[in-house]
């Protein structure tokens, strides 16, 4: 496995490789969810590239950029058996002093995460466009856990005629349903149990719909009341939206995206399911 620490080294590798390249962009601190994306990339391509870059541009001023967990040595050991090249650029290489260019997807970014994290998706689409330009993948792999992120990236790729396929991979969960996330490491002992409330609330929504409940407002309310019973939990939003437009719906029309952001103590967690 090769490690490219500069854009120039990554480009050089790309120019020398033959066959299809599968790419998994990450911010490191890898867990089984990331590794399932890498495995999928390995199965579907001759060459696998993974980037590790904690992108400062997608964190708000009061968010956790500085404290975001990092463990490069462990990440590289996990990637070694499955990866041909790891791209780990520096902040300065990606955003030199005179950096001035942004890639913005409108519409889809106005709602959900975009509404409560201003500038977040501008940072995501900009860095992902830059990574695509450098790595030149044939396929790129993203997790359904960040449902809006993958929708926004697919739209960017379509609108800007980027020559690659974006593949969505299912959310990996712990045994008790908690969606895998690097941020789960922030959870203190008592909070880890409390964090299962997100998945349980999603399951509640699924059950209500399967019993014939058609009123999205009533389902949101039941989810809210259920989560509020957990003293550690603070709801940021609960959404039942059209899975294509991400706009809130009044009556259940499938496929629907049920998603939420909930703070467990100080840790902000997101999760979702698609009702088909
Ligand atoms: O999902 C992530 O880890 C990040 O948003 C991504 C896609 C690597 C861009 O920085």
């Amino acid at each position: 496995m090769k490690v490219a620490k500069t854009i120039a080294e990554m480009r050089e590798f790309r120019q020398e490789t033959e066959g299809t390249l599968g790419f998994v962009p990450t911010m490191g601190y890898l867990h089984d969810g990331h590794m399932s994306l890498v495995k999928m990339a390995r199965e579907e391509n001759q060459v696998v590239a993974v980037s590790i870059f904690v992108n400062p541009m997608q964190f708000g001023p009061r968010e956790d950029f500085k404290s975001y967990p990092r463990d490069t040595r462990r990440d590289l050991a996990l990637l070694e058996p499955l990866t041909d090249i790891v791209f780990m650029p520096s902040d300065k290489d990606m955003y030199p002093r005179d950096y001035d260019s942004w890639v913005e997807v409108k519409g889809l970014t106005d709602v959900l995460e975009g509404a409560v994290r201003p500038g977040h998706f501008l940072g995501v689409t900009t860095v992902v466009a830059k990574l695509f330009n450098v790595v030149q993948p044939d396929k790129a792999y993203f997790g359904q856990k960040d449902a809006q992120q993958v929708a926004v990236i697919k739209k960017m790729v379509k609108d800007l005629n980027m020559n690659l396929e974006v593949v969505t991979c299912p959310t990996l969960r712990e045994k008790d349903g908690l969606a895998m996330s690097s941020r789960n490491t922030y959870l203190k002992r008592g909070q880890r149990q409390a964090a299962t409330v997100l998945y349980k609330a999603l399951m509640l929504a699924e059950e209500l719909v399967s019993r014939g409940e058609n009123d999205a407002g009533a389902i949101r309310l039941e989810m809210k009341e259920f989560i509020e019973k957990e003293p550690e939990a603070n709801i940021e939003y609960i959404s039942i939206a059209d899975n294509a437009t991400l706009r809130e719906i009044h009556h259940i029309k499938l496929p629907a995206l049920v998603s939420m952001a909930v703070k467990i103590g100080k840790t902000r967690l997101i999760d979702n399911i698609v009702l088909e």
Side-chain angles (χ1 to χ4, degrees), residues 97-109:
R97 248 171 206 274
D98 61 346
Y99 189 81
D100 265 341
S101 300
W102 300 89
V103 177
E104 182 178 18
V105 173
K106 291 188 185 281
L108 280 181
T109 58

Side-chain angles (χ1 to χ4, degrees), residues 55 102-105 109 120-130 149 152-153 156 162:
N55 173 34
W102 300 89
V103 177
E104 182 178 18
V105 173
T109 58
H120 169 66
F121 284 117
L122 191 62
V124 170
T125 41
T126 299
V127 81
V128 171
K130 283 169 69 67
Q149 170 170 276
V152 168
I153 289 168
M156 172 184 81
M162 293 179 173

Side-chain angles (χ1 to χ4, degrees), residues 31-34 36 145 169-174 177-181:
H31 49 67
D32 287 352
H34 295 112
S36 73
K145 156 95 187 331
C169 302
T171 303
L172 247 72
R173 298 182 179 280
E174 305 288 353
L178 177 67
M180 290 189 188
S181 161

Side-chain angles (χ1 to χ4, degrees), residues 179-198:
M180 290 189 188
S181 161
S182 306
R183 288 190 171 99
N184 291 350
T185 55
Y186 297 150
L187 295 167
K188 307 223 169 71
R189 211 175 283 164
Q191 296 174 340
R192 172 63 189 78
Q193 172 57 31
T196 59
V197 77
L198 281 87

Side-chain angles (χ1 to χ4, degrees), residues 45-222:
N45 301 275
Q46 273 103 52
V47 184
V48 173
V50 176
S51 62
I52 299 177
F53 180 64
V54 185
N55 173 34
M57 299 299 190
Q58 70 188 74
F59 289 81
R62 277 189 292 278
E63 292 184 2
D64 56 345
F65 173 65
K66 285 225 169 84
S67 60
Y68 196 82
R70 292 158 167 93
D71 189 345
T72 308
R73 211 175 332 147
R74 184 174 165 276
D75 288 347
L76 293 178
L78 287 170
L79 293 174
E80 173 84 57
L82 292 163
T83 310
D84 298 291
I85 184 151
V86 182
F87 178 40
M88 292 176 46
S90 66
D91 291 6
K92 271 199 194 137
D93 206 10
M94 289 294 274
Y95 302 111
R97 248 171 206 274
D98 61 346
Y99 189 81
D100 265 341
S101 300
W102 300 89
V103 177
E104 182 178 18
V105 173
K106 291 188 185 281
L108 280 181
T109 58
D110 292 342
V111 294
L112 303 174
E113 290 295 286
V116 289
R117 299 183 70 188
H120 169 66
F121 284 117
L122 191 62
V124 170
T125 41
T126 299
V127 81
V128 171
K130 283 169 69 67
L131 291 167
F132 286 173
N133 279 338
V134 175
V135 177
Q136 297 279 317
D138 297 285
K139 287 185 172 190
Y141 297 80
F142 294 86
Q144 172 64 22
K145 156 95 187 331
D146 296 299
Q148 189 177 12
Q149 170 170 276
V150 72
V152 168
I153 289 168
K154 280 187 173 162
K155 189 74 168 57
M156 172 184 81
V157 164
K158 178 171 176 275
D159 286 354
L160 298 181
N161 313 102
M162 293 179 173
N163 195 16
L164 72 140
E165 184 189 335
V166 176
V167 181
T168 313
C169 302
T171 303
L172 247 72
R173 298 182 179 280
E174 305 288 353
K175 278 206 185 81
D176 59 8
L178 177 67
M180 290 189 188
S181 161
S182 306
R183 288 190 171 99
N184 291 350
T185 55
Y186 297 150
L187 295 167
K188 307 223 169 71
R189 211 175 283 164
Q191 296 174 340
R192 172 63 189 78
Q193 172 57 31
T196 59
V197 77
L198 281 87
Y199 185 61
K200 286 179 188 153
L202 293 172
M203 290 297 94
L204 173 64
E206 186 175 75
E207 193 192 315
L208 291 169
V209 171
S210 72
R211 277 203 252 131
E213 179 59 81
N214 184 36
D215 180 346
I219 300 172
R220 280 187 212 100
L221 186 62
E222 286 221 29

